[in-house]
Amino acid sequence: MEKDDKKLNVVSLVGIIVSAIIGAGIFNLPKEMASSASAGVTILSWLIAGLGMGSLAFCMQNLSNKKPDLHAGIFSFAQEGFGDFMGFNSVWGYWVSVIIGNVAFGTLMFSAIGYFFPAFGNGENILSIIGASLILWLIHYIICKGLDNATFLNNLVMVAKLIPIIIFIVCVIGGFNKGIFFHRFWSMNTDNFYLPDVVHQLKNTMLVTVWVFIGIEGAVVFSGRAKKRSDVGKATLLGFAAVTVIYMSITVFSYGIMTQAEIQSLPNPAMAYILERVIGKPGAIIVNLGVIISIFGAWIANTLLAEEVSYQAGERKLFPVIFTKENKNQVPVNALLITNIIVQILLLSFLITDEAYSLLSQLSSATILLPYTCVALYQLKLTHTEKSSDSTKNYIIGIIATVYMFWLIYASGFIYTILTILTLLPGAIMFIYVKKYYKQKVFKPYEIFIFIVIAVLFVYGMTQLPVLMKM
């Protein structure tokens, strides 16, 4: 059992959330949004994302308060509500998502370093792989020294990375041009509001908004290591509110500095070149330094999330027992090592595509939709069975979150749905191995049906893979 001084207070929990959420994505966010939507649609997109992800945050807060015994991260809600196999698929999807996200961090970090040292190029060459590998194992070493040391460093980095973000927001507000902002407000092709086009643009922004909100569950993942259970829900809502305001400010005001066409054609990280337009060369320097600092903190936070959730899955007999080993500093060393070995292997993806960051960030968003959806559905199930005085409010929150999650699954599109499906069957094989190891019945009757569906979809996905490679 951990000593109380080793446990996390509300500041550390908020720090993990903010660092995990505000990472690589924020510094390229204007470009990612402008590639999908106009200024007007971007505003609508953030309102929808704020409502949907806000409802999910409230679900997490409510479930944390109502089920304090479920302290193994968001996948424990899926396991409690829908059985071991759905619990496993939830944690598997989450773990894969965070691992892929860490690989995406590597390419954007060295794209920023490439601004100062051109040999790194756009962050997707051999030199960048070597550099990202060194950062990966430095973070591994820091975390092995103890959770308290890692979270303390994470909090320092969180403060440091907010400085360039605040400078950016102040400068773009000061340089805001109303004429540029309202030019082609609803579309790149017309000044008029055309509903089918607006809906199409909204759909294209959905995975972008999910990607930048990944990490909202950080306090829930570490709920078992929190000093006070009540801090978990409080930290979740505080972290969500802070980053939503920051995201909206950065993306919306950027449209008052450059047109949508200009923003979407910028190199990575786009914020550097937008700020350069306002205050000159120092703007690009400030943002690129911010990217490097920010990604380092996000990489620490996300690695903490990945090792903790896989460790907790091992504790709940969903992952192999090897994941449960801790060192003298109470760090799950095997979970950490396995996670980072996979990240190391995936860093080679830098050599496969010129758009590694966009591909990885959207795939990370797609694979996390299953665990998020299970949280929303469990909120509805618990509310239905509990019948408490706040049932009406909890029903509304659960319905909004569930509808939003299904909308995201639809909006993620064919490619990312298929790629997500392709990750599930390898996980199911590991689930079968773990059940056999513990001499437990592998599947309940309804879980056999789920497994068959996954297997059929996997075969279908494999037949579609050649098509996907050409898209």
Side-chain angles (χ1 to χ4, degrees):
M1 192 71 184
E2 288 180 272
K3 295 179 181 178
D4 190 62
D5 61 358
K6 292 278 188 181
K7 286 184 173 285
L8 305 176
N9 59 25
V10 69
V11 175
S12 294
L13 291 170
V14 171
I16 289 173
I17 292 172
V18 173
S19 280
I21 296 178
I22 299 181
I26 191 169
F27 293 97
N28 213 43
L29 188 55
K31 176 183 175 179
E32 295 292 323
M33 292 298 282
S35 297
S36 304
S38 63
V41 178
T42 294
I43 295 172
L44 289 178
S45 177
W46 284 121
L47 292 175
I48 293 171
L51 179 64
M53 296 303 291
S55 298
L56 187 67
F58 275 111
C59 288
M60 292 179 186
Q61 181 199 36
N62 179 59
L63 294 174
S64 293
N65 293 336
K66 295 286 178 68
K67 290 287 185 178
D69 54 312
L70 301 180
H71 53 73
I74 61 172
F75 77 89
S76 58
F77 301 139
Q79 185 181 17
E80 179 74 9
F82 311 108
D84 285 353
F85 190 45
M86 283 307 298
F88 173 84
N89 283 315
S90 180
V91 68
W92 177 262
Y94 184 85
W95 190 50
V96 169
S97 174
V98 178
I99 286 172
I100 293 171
N102 281 354
V103 181
F105 288 162
T107 180
L108 194 57
M109 173 181 273
F110 282 89
S111 176
I113 293 175
Y115 181 85
F116 303 102
F117 303 99
F120 289 102
N122 64 351
E124 297 174 7
N125 56 22
I126 293 176
L127 194 59
S128 296
I129 294 174
I130 295 171
S133 300
L134 292 174
I135 298 296
L136 171 68
W137 296 107
L138 172 62
I139 290 171
H140 181 92
Y141 173 78
I142 291 169
I143 294 175
C144 281
K145 288 298 181 181
L147 183 61
D148 50 348
N149 292 330
T151 54
F152 176 73
L153 177 60
N154 179 64
N155 288 341
L156 289 180
V157 173
M158 179 188 70
V159 173
K161 72 175 157 184
L162 287 177
I163 294 172
I165 291 171
I166 292 170
I167 291 173
F168 179 89
I169 292 172
V170 170
C171 289
V172 293
I173 290 175
F176 185 82
N177 184 305
K178 187 168 62 174
I180 296 175
F181 182 74
F182 285 105
H183 176 69
R184 298 288 167 87
F185 187 69
W186 292 111
S187 172
M188 281 185 65
N189 304 315
T190 178
D191 290 319
N192 300 321
F193 180 93
Y194 180 56
L195 184 59
D197 182 50
V198 168
V199 172
H200 176 73
Q201 291 180 70
L202 280 173
K203 180 182 173 184
N204 289 340
T205 65
M206 289 300 102
L207 284 183
V208 177
T209 56
V210 174
W211 162 242
V212 294
F213 274 118
I214 290 176
I216 191 176
E217 69 293 328
V220 178
V221 171
F222 280 93
S223 58
R225 300 180 188 265
K227 284 186 178 179
K228 292 167 57 181
R229 183 71 190 194
S230 59
D231 287 345
V232 174
K234 191 186 303 181
T236 300
L237 295 181
L238 285 173
F240 170 76
V243 297
T244 302
V245 172
I246 291 171
Y247 283 157
M248 288 194 70
S249 300
I250 285 173
T251 50
V252 172
F253 287 113
S254 291
Y255 286 102
I257 305 299
M258 293 181 175
T259 65
Q260 180 185 354
E262 288 177 314
I263 295 173
Q264 71 179 20
S265 64
L266 292 174
N268 299 338
M271 270 177 60
Y273 301 93
I274 295 170
L275 191 56
E276 186 177 40
R277 173 72 65 89
V278 181
I279 64 174
K281 200 74 170 178
I285 294 172
I286 289 170
V287 171
N288 277 292
L289 286 173
V291 170
I292 297 166
I293 295 169
S294 181
I295 294 175
F296 185 66
W299 207 333
I300 293 173
N302 270 28
T303 303
L304 288 169
L305 293 178
E307 55 87 355
E308 180 67 17
V309 78
S310 54
Y311 163 76
Q312 294 289 355
E315 286 283 292
R316 294 179 73 93
K317 299 181 179 180
L318 293 179
F319 273 24
V321 69
I322 191 175
F323 283 85
T324 62
K325 181 183 177 181
E326 294 181 290
N327 67 7
K328 63 180 181 180
N329 297 315
Q330 298 172 323
V331 173
V333 284
N334 284 349
L336 179 64
L337 180 62
I338 294 168
T339 294
N340 285 338
I341 288 174
I342 296 172
V343 172
Q344 178 68 76
I345 294 169
L346 291 178
L347 285 173
L348 297 174
S349 66
F350 290 8
L351 303 177
I352 297 174
T353 173
D354 293 331
E355 293 294 332
Y357 173 74
S358 293
L359 174 65
L360 291 167
S361 64
Q362 295 198 52
L363 180 56
S364 179
S365 301
T367 52
I368 209 168
L369 294 181
L370 176 60
Y372 280 176
T373 302
C374 287
V375 170
L377 291 173
Y378 185 56
Q379 165 84 359
L380 290 176
K381 181 178 179 179
L382 183 63
T383 303
H384 177 72
T385 56
E386 188 182 49
K387 303 294 183 183
S388 63
S389 58
D390 57 356
S391 290
T392 301
K393 180 192 76 173
N394 291 335
Y395 263 128
I396 293 172
I397 292 169
I399 289 170
I400 293 173
T402 301
V403 170
Y404 180 63
M405 286 303 119
F406 280 110
W407 157 252
L408 289 176
I409 292 170
Y410 163 74
S412 65
F414 176 75
I415 293 177
Y416 293 103
T417 300
I418 292 297
L419 290 174
T420 301
I421 290 167
L422 292 178
T423 69
L424 293 179
L425 190 64
I429 294 170
M430 189 167 87
F431 175 79
I432 294 170
Y433 164 78
V434 172
K435 285 293 185 180
K436 295 286 188 182
Y437 176 85
Y438 285 110
K439 296 180 172 57
Q440 297 175 346
K441 184 178 180 180
V442 177
F443 293 120
K444 296 176 181 176
Y446 72 92
E447 291 174 334
I448 294 175
F449 173 75
I450 296 173
F451 175 75
I452 291 172
V453 170
I454 290 174
V456 170
L457 291 175
F458 178 86
V459 172
Y460 173 74
M462 290 300 292
T463 64
Q464 296 300 306
L465 204 53
V467 179
L468 298 181
M469 296 300 289
K470 296 176 182 179
M471 296 180 70

